[in-house]
Structure formats: C-alpha cells, structure tokens
Short mmCIF file of all heavy atoms in Angstrom, two decimals:
data_model
loop_
_atom_site.label_atom_id
_atom_site.label_comp_id
_atom_site.label_asym_id
_atom_site.label_seq_id
_atom_site.Cartn_x
_atom_site.Cartn_y
_atom_site.Cartn_z
N ILE A 24 88.93 96.05 116.85
CA ILE A 24 89.72 95.31 117.84
C ILE A 24 89.64 93.81 117.53
O ILE A 24 88.56 93.27 117.27
CB ILE A 24 89.21 95.59 119.26
CG1 ILE A 24 89.24 97.11 119.53
CG2 ILE A 24 90.03 94.85 120.30
CD1 ILE A 24 88.73 97.51 120.88
N PHE A 25 90.79 93.15 117.55
CA PHE A 25 90.82 91.72 117.26
C PHE A 25 92.05 91.09 117.91
O PHE A 25 93.03 91.76 118.23
CB PHE A 25 90.83 91.47 115.75
CG PHE A 25 91.93 92.18 115.01
CD1 PHE A 25 93.13 91.55 114.73
CD2 PHE A 25 91.74 93.50 114.59
CE1 PHE A 25 94.14 92.22 114.05
CE2 PHE A 25 92.75 94.17 113.90
CZ PHE A 25 93.96 93.52 113.63
N ALA A 26 91.97 89.78 118.12
CA ALA A 26 93.07 89.02 118.71
C ALA A 26 93.87 88.32 117.62
O ALA A 26 93.32 87.92 116.60
CB ALA A 26 92.53 87.99 119.70
N LEU A 27 95.17 88.22 117.84
CA LEU A 27 96.05 87.51 116.91
C LEU A 27 96.76 86.38 117.65
O LEU A 27 97.25 86.57 118.77
CB LEU A 27 97.10 88.46 116.31
CG LEU A 27 96.60 89.49 115.29
CD1 LEU A 27 97.75 90.40 114.88
CD2 LEU A 27 96.01 88.79 114.07
N ALA A 28 96.80 85.21 117.02
CA ALA A 28 97.46 84.05 117.60
C ALA A 28 98.97 84.20 117.50
O ALA A 28 99.47 85.00 116.70
CB ALA A 28 96.99 82.78 116.89
N PRO A 29 99.73 83.45 118.28
CA PRO A 29 101.19 83.52 118.21
C PRO A 29 101.71 83.20 116.81
O PRO A 29 101.20 82.31 116.13
CB PRO A 29 101.65 82.45 119.21
CG PRO A 29 100.50 82.32 120.16
CD PRO A 29 99.27 82.53 119.33
N THR A 30 102.70 83.97 116.37
CA THR A 30 103.34 83.74 115.09
C THR A 30 104.72 84.37 115.11
O THR A 30 104.89 85.48 115.62
CB THR A 30 102.51 84.31 113.92
OG1 THR A 30 103.20 84.05 112.68
CG2 THR A 30 102.30 85.79 114.04
N GLY A 31 105.71 83.68 114.54
CA GLY A 31 107.06 84.20 114.46
C GLY A 31 107.57 84.61 115.83
O GLY A 31 107.49 83.84 116.80
N PRO A 32 108.06 85.85 115.98
CA PRO A 32 108.60 86.29 117.27
C PRO A 32 107.54 86.73 118.26
O PRO A 32 107.85 87.05 119.40
CB PRO A 32 109.48 87.48 116.87
CG PRO A 32 108.80 88.05 115.67
CD PRO A 32 108.21 86.87 114.93
N TYR A 33 106.26 86.74 117.86
CA TYR A 33 105.20 87.28 118.70
C TYR A 33 104.40 86.18 119.39
O TYR A 33 104.18 85.10 118.85
CB TYR A 33 104.25 88.15 117.88
CG TYR A 33 104.91 89.35 117.24
CD1 TYR A 33 105.03 89.44 115.87
CD2 TYR A 33 105.40 90.39 118.03
CE1 TYR A 33 105.65 90.55 115.28
CE2 TYR A 33 106.01 91.49 117.46
CZ TYR A 33 106.12 91.56 116.09
OH TYR A 33 106.73 92.65 115.51
N LYS A 34 103.93 86.51 120.62
CA LYS A 34 103.01 85.63 121.34
C LYS A 34 101.58 86.05 120.99
O LYS A 34 101.33 86.65 119.96
CB LYS A 34 103.27 85.74 122.84
CG LYS A 34 104.66 85.27 123.28
CD LYS A 34 104.80 85.38 124.79
CE LYS A 34 106.17 84.91 125.26
NZ LYS A 34 106.32 85.01 126.74
N ASN A 35 100.64 85.75 121.87
CA ASN A 35 99.26 86.21 121.67
C ASN A 35 99.23 87.74 121.74
O ASN A 35 99.97 88.35 122.52
CB ASN A 35 98.34 85.64 122.75
CG ASN A 35 97.97 84.20 122.47
OD1 ASN A 35 97.12 83.91 121.64
ND2 ASN A 35 98.64 83.27 123.16
N ARG A 36 98.35 88.34 120.92
CA ARG A 36 98.24 89.79 120.90
C ARG A 36 96.78 90.22 120.82
O ARG A 36 95.96 89.54 120.21
CB ARG A 36 98.97 90.36 119.67
CG ARG A 36 100.48 90.32 119.73
CD ARG A 36 101.08 90.25 118.36
NE ARG A 36 100.82 88.96 117.73
CZ ARG A 36 100.93 88.71 116.44
NH1 ARG A 36 101.26 89.68 115.60
NH2 ARG A 36 100.69 87.51 115.96
N LEU A 37 96.51 91.36 121.44
CA LEU A 37 95.23 92.04 121.27
C LEU A 37 95.54 93.32 120.50
O LEU A 37 96.31 94.17 120.97
CB LEU A 37 94.58 92.35 122.61
CG LEU A 37 93.22 93.07 122.53
CD1 LEU A 37 92.19 92.20 121.83
CD2 LEU A 37 92.73 93.47 123.91
N VAL A 38 94.96 93.46 119.33
CA VAL A 38 95.27 94.58 118.43
C VAL A 38 94.10 95.55 118.41
O VAL A 38 92.95 95.15 118.23
CB VAL A 38 95.58 94.07 117.00
CG1 VAL A 38 95.89 95.25 116.08
CG2 VAL A 38 96.75 93.09 117.03
N VAL A 39 94.41 96.84 118.57
CA VAL A 39 93.41 97.90 118.52
C VAL A 39 93.78 98.84 117.38
O VAL A 39 94.81 99.51 117.44
CB VAL A 39 93.35 98.67 119.85
CG1 VAL A 39 92.30 99.78 119.77
CG2 VAL A 39 93.06 97.73 121.01
N ASP A 40 92.96 98.87 116.34
CA ASP A 40 93.15 99.82 115.24
C ASP A 40 92.15 100.95 115.41
O ASP A 40 90.94 100.72 115.53
CB ASP A 40 92.93 99.13 113.89
CG ASP A 40 94.14 98.33 113.44
OD1 ASP A 40 95.25 98.64 113.91
OD2 ASP A 40 93.98 97.40 112.63
N LEU A 41 92.65 102.18 115.39
CA LEU A 41 91.80 103.36 115.53
C LEU A 41 91.93 104.21 114.28
O LEU A 41 93.02 104.70 113.97
CB LEU A 41 92.22 104.17 116.76
CG LEU A 41 91.90 103.50 118.11
CD1 LEU A 41 92.74 104.11 119.21
CD2 LEU A 41 90.42 103.65 118.43
N TYR A 42 90.83 104.35 113.57
CA TYR A 42 90.82 105.11 112.32
C TYR A 42 90.16 106.46 112.57
O TYR A 42 88.97 106.53 112.92
CB TYR A 42 90.07 104.35 111.22
CG TYR A 42 90.72 103.03 110.89
CD1 TYR A 42 90.29 101.85 111.49
CD2 TYR A 42 91.79 102.97 110.00
CE1 TYR A 42 90.91 100.64 111.20
CE2 TYR A 42 92.41 101.78 109.71
CZ TYR A 42 91.96 100.61 110.30
OH TYR A 42 92.58 99.42 110.02
N GLY A 43 90.92 107.53 112.39
CA GLY A 43 90.40 108.88 112.59
C GLY A 43 89.29 109.18 111.62
O GLY A 43 89.30 108.72 110.48
N SER A 44 88.32 109.95 112.05
CA SER A 44 87.18 110.28 111.19
C SER A 44 87.66 111.04 109.98
O SER A 44 88.25 112.10 110.07
CB SER A 44 86.16 111.12 111.97
OG SER A 44 86.79 112.26 112.50
N LYS A 45 87.41 110.47 108.82
CA LYS A 45 87.83 111.06 107.55
C LYS A 45 86.97 110.47 106.47
O LYS A 45 86.52 109.34 106.56
CB LYS A 45 89.31 110.75 107.29
CG LYS A 45 89.87 111.42 106.05
CD LYS A 45 91.32 110.99 105.84
CE LYS A 45 91.88 111.56 104.56
NZ LYS A 45 93.24 111.11 104.27
N MET A 46 86.76 111.20 105.40
CA MET A 46 85.97 110.69 104.29
C MET A 46 86.59 109.43 103.73
O MET A 46 87.81 109.34 103.59
CB MET A 46 85.87 111.73 103.18
CG MET A 46 84.94 111.32 102.04
SD MET A 46 84.86 112.59 100.77
CE MET A 46 84.01 113.86 101.67
N SER A 47 85.79 108.44 103.46
CA SER A 47 86.29 107.19 102.91
C SER A 47 87.03 107.43 101.60
O SER A 47 86.67 108.28 100.81
CB SER A 47 85.13 106.22 102.67
OG SER A 47 85.54 105.13 101.87
N ALA A 48 88.05 106.61 101.40
CA ALA A 48 88.83 106.73 100.16
C ALA A 48 87.97 106.39 98.94
O ALA A 48 88.33 106.72 97.82
CB ALA A 48 90.03 105.80 100.23
N TYR A 49 86.85 105.70 99.17
CA TYR A 49 86.01 105.30 98.05
C TYR A 49 84.75 106.14 97.95
O TYR A 49 83.84 105.85 97.18
CB TYR A 49 85.62 103.82 98.18
CG TYR A 49 86.79 102.88 98.07
CD1 TYR A 49 87.07 102.00 99.09
CD2 TYR A 49 87.60 102.89 96.95
CE1 TYR A 49 88.14 101.12 99.00
CE2 TYR A 49 88.67 102.02 96.86
CZ TYR A 49 88.93 101.13 97.88
OH TYR A 49 90.00 100.28 97.78
N SER A 50 84.66 107.20 98.77
CA SER A 50 83.45 108.01 98.75
C SER A 50 83.27 108.69 97.40
O SER A 50 84.20 109.25 96.83
CB SER A 50 83.53 109.07 99.86
OG SER A 50 82.49 110.00 99.72
N SER A 51 82.05 108.66 96.92
CA SER A 51 81.78 109.28 95.62
C SER A 51 81.90 110.80 95.70
O SER A 51 82.07 111.46 94.69
CB SER A 51 80.37 108.91 95.15
OG SER A 51 79.42 109.30 96.12
N ASP A 52 81.85 111.37 96.93
CA ASP A 52 81.95 112.82 97.06
C ASP A 52 83.32 113.33 96.65
O ASP A 52 83.47 114.49 96.29
CB ASP A 52 81.69 113.23 98.52
CG ASP A 52 80.25 113.01 98.91
OD1 ASP A 52 79.41 112.94 97.99
OD2 ASP A 52 79.97 112.90 100.11
N SER A 53 84.35 112.48 96.73
CA SER A 53 85.71 112.95 96.46
C SER A 53 85.92 113.32 95.01
O SER A 53 86.91 113.95 94.68
CB SER A 53 86.72 111.86 96.86
OG SER A 53 86.49 110.69 96.08
N ASN A 54 85.00 112.95 94.15
CA ASN A 54 85.17 113.26 92.74
C ASN A 54 84.17 114.30 92.24
O ASN A 54 84.06 114.52 91.04
CB ASN A 54 85.01 111.98 91.89
CG ASN A 54 86.35 111.31 91.67
OD1 ASN A 54 87.40 111.92 91.84
ND2 ASN A 54 86.31 110.05 91.28
N LYS A 55 83.43 114.93 93.15
CA LYS A 55 82.41 115.87 92.71
C LYS A 55 83.03 117.10 92.05
O LYS A 55 82.51 117.64 91.09
CB LYS A 55 81.53 116.28 93.90
CG LYS A 55 80.51 115.20 94.26
CD LYS A 55 79.61 115.65 95.37
CE LYS A 55 78.56 114.59 95.68
NZ LYS A 55 77.70 114.98 96.80
N THR A 56 84.17 117.55 92.62
CA THR A 56 84.86 118.69 92.03
C THR A 56 86.04 118.17 91.23
O THR A 56 87.03 117.74 91.79
CB THR A 56 85.35 119.65 93.14
OG1 THR A 56 84.25 120.03 93.94
CG2 THR A 56 86.00 120.87 92.52
N ARG A 57 85.92 118.21 89.93
CA ARG A 57 86.97 117.66 89.07
C ARG A 57 87.84 118.79 88.54
O ARG A 57 87.36 119.80 88.06
CB ARG A 57 86.36 116.86 87.91
CG ARG A 57 85.54 115.68 88.39
CD ARG A 57 85.13 114.80 87.22
NE ARG A 57 84.37 113.68 87.70
CZ ARG A 57 84.90 112.57 88.18
NH1 ARG A 57 86.21 112.46 88.24
NH2 ARG A 57 84.14 111.57 88.59
N LYS A 58 89.14 118.56 88.64
CA LYS A 58 90.07 119.55 88.13
C LYS A 58 90.26 119.36 86.63
O LYS A 58 90.23 118.25 86.13
CB LYS A 58 91.41 119.41 88.85
CG LYS A 58 91.33 119.73 90.34
CD LYS A 58 92.69 119.59 90.98
CE LYS A 58 92.62 119.91 92.48
NZ LYS A 58 93.95 119.76 93.12
N PRO A 59 90.47 120.44 85.91
CA PRO A 59 90.72 120.30 84.48
C PRO A 59 92.03 119.57 84.22
O PRO A 59 92.93 119.58 85.06
CB PRO A 59 90.78 121.75 83.99
CG PRO A 59 91.14 122.54 85.22
CD PRO A 59 90.51 121.83 86.36
N ARG A 60 92.14 118.92 83.09
CA ARG A 60 93.35 118.21 82.74
C ARG A 60 94.49 119.20 82.57
O ARG A 60 94.38 120.22 81.92
CB ARG A 60 93.14 117.40 81.46
CG ARG A 60 92.02 116.37 81.59
CD ARG A 60 91.85 115.59 80.30
NE ARG A 60 92.92 114.63 80.12
CZ ARG A 60 93.03 113.85 79.05
NH1 ARG A 60 92.15 113.93 78.09
NH2 ARG A 60 94.02 113.00 78.95
N VAL A 61 95.62 118.87 83.17
CA VAL A 61 96.77 119.76 83.15
C VAL A 61 97.69 119.39 81.99
O VAL A 61 98.07 118.23 81.83
CB VAL A 61 97.54 119.68 84.49
CG1 VAL A 61 98.75 120.59 84.46
CG2 VAL A 61 96.61 120.04 85.64
N GLN A 62 98.05 120.37 81.20
CA GLN A 62 99.00 120.14 80.11
C GLN A 62 100.40 119.99 80.69
O GLN A 62 100.76 120.64 81.67
CB GLN A 62 98.96 121.32 79.13
CG GLN A 62 99.68 121.06 77.81
CD GLN A 62 98.94 120.07 76.94
OE1 GLN A 62 97.73 119.97 77.01
NE2 GLN A 62 99.69 119.34 76.13
N ASP A 63 101.20 119.12 80.08
CA ASP A 63 102.57 118.86 80.53
C ASP A 63 102.60 118.39 81.99
O ASP A 63 103.50 118.74 82.76
CB ASP A 63 103.45 120.10 80.38
CG ASP A 63 103.67 120.46 78.91
OD1 ASP A 63 103.29 119.66 78.05
OD2 ASP A 63 104.21 121.53 78.65
N ARG A 64 101.62 117.62 82.36
CA ARG A 64 101.54 117.15 83.75
C ARG A 64 102.62 116.11 84.04
O ARG A 64 103.21 115.51 83.14
CB ARG A 64 100.16 116.53 84.01
CG ARG A 64 99.91 115.19 83.30
CD ARG A 64 98.60 114.57 83.73
NE ARG A 64 98.38 113.27 83.12
CZ ARG A 64 98.84 112.13 83.61
NH1 ARG A 64 99.60 112.12 84.69
NH2 ARG A 64 98.57 110.98 83.01
N ASP A 65 102.86 115.89 85.34
CA ASP A 65 103.80 114.87 85.77
C ASP A 65 103.16 113.48 85.74
O ASP A 65 101.95 113.34 85.96
CB ASP A 65 104.27 115.14 87.20
CG ASP A 65 105.14 116.38 87.30
OD1 ASP A 65 105.80 116.71 86.29
OD2 ASP A 65 105.16 117.00 88.38
N ILE A 66 103.96 112.48 85.47
CA ILE A 66 103.52 111.09 85.62
C ILE A 66 103.70 110.73 87.09
O ILE A 66 104.80 110.83 87.64
CB ILE A 66 104.36 110.15 84.73
CG1 ILE A 66 104.13 110.48 83.25
CG2 ILE A 66 104.03 108.69 85.01
CD1 ILE A 66 105.10 109.79 82.32
N ILE A 67 102.61 110.33 87.74
CA ILE A 67 102.64 110.05 89.18
C ILE A 67 102.95 108.57 89.40
O ILE A 67 102.22 107.70 88.92
CB ILE A 67 101.30 110.41 89.85
CG1 ILE A 67 100.90 111.85 89.53
CG2 ILE A 67 101.39 110.19 91.36
CD1 ILE A 67 101.85 112.88 90.00
N VAL A 68 104.01 108.30 90.15
CA VAL A 68 104.40 106.93 90.48
C VAL A 68 104.17 106.74 91.98
O VAL A 68 104.84 107.37 92.81
CB VAL A 68 105.87 106.64 90.13
CG1 VAL A 68 106.23 105.20 90.48
CG2 VAL A 68 106.12 106.90 88.64
N ALA A 69 103.21 105.89 92.34
CA ALA A 69 102.96 105.56 93.74
C ALA A 69 103.92 104.44 94.15
O ALA A 69 103.98 103.40 93.50
CB ALA A 69 101.52 105.11 93.93
N ILE A 70 104.68 104.68 95.23
CA ILE A 70 105.69 103.73 95.68
C ILE A 70 105.30 103.22 97.06
O ILE A 70 105.19 103.98 98.01
CB ILE A 70 107.08 104.38 95.72
CG1 ILE A 70 107.42 104.97 94.35
CG2 ILE A 70 108.14 103.37 96.15
CD1 ILE A 70 108.65 105.83 94.34
N ASP A 71 105.06 101.93 97.14
CA ASP A 71 104.56 101.30 98.36
C ASP A 71 105.66 100.47 99.02
O ASP A 71 106.13 99.49 98.44
CB ASP A 71 103.35 100.42 98.03
CG ASP A 71 102.92 99.57 99.20
OD1 ASP A 71 102.80 100.12 100.30
OD2 ASP A 71 102.72 98.36 99.01
#
C-alpha cells in the first residue's frame, strides 16, 4: 500500500496492490525439474 501524488488527470491516490500467493518468478525451485530440449521447437517471442 502506498500513496501517489497528483499527476496528469489524477488527484491524490491511495494504491493497494494485492499479490496472490504464488511461487516467486525468481525462485530457484522453478528450475528443479528441467525438460529435455525439444527438437524443431518454436521460437518464443514475448510481446509486452
């Protein structure tokens, strides 16, 4: 929870971010089970 000062079209704000319980994206456990390399695999393009 944090406050934001006025900017652009917004006045003062109180912001509440709630993160559901989930393994961290950087947890070392996520790589314990490694999949074998796939032949003819797709090139993955992350689009943000």
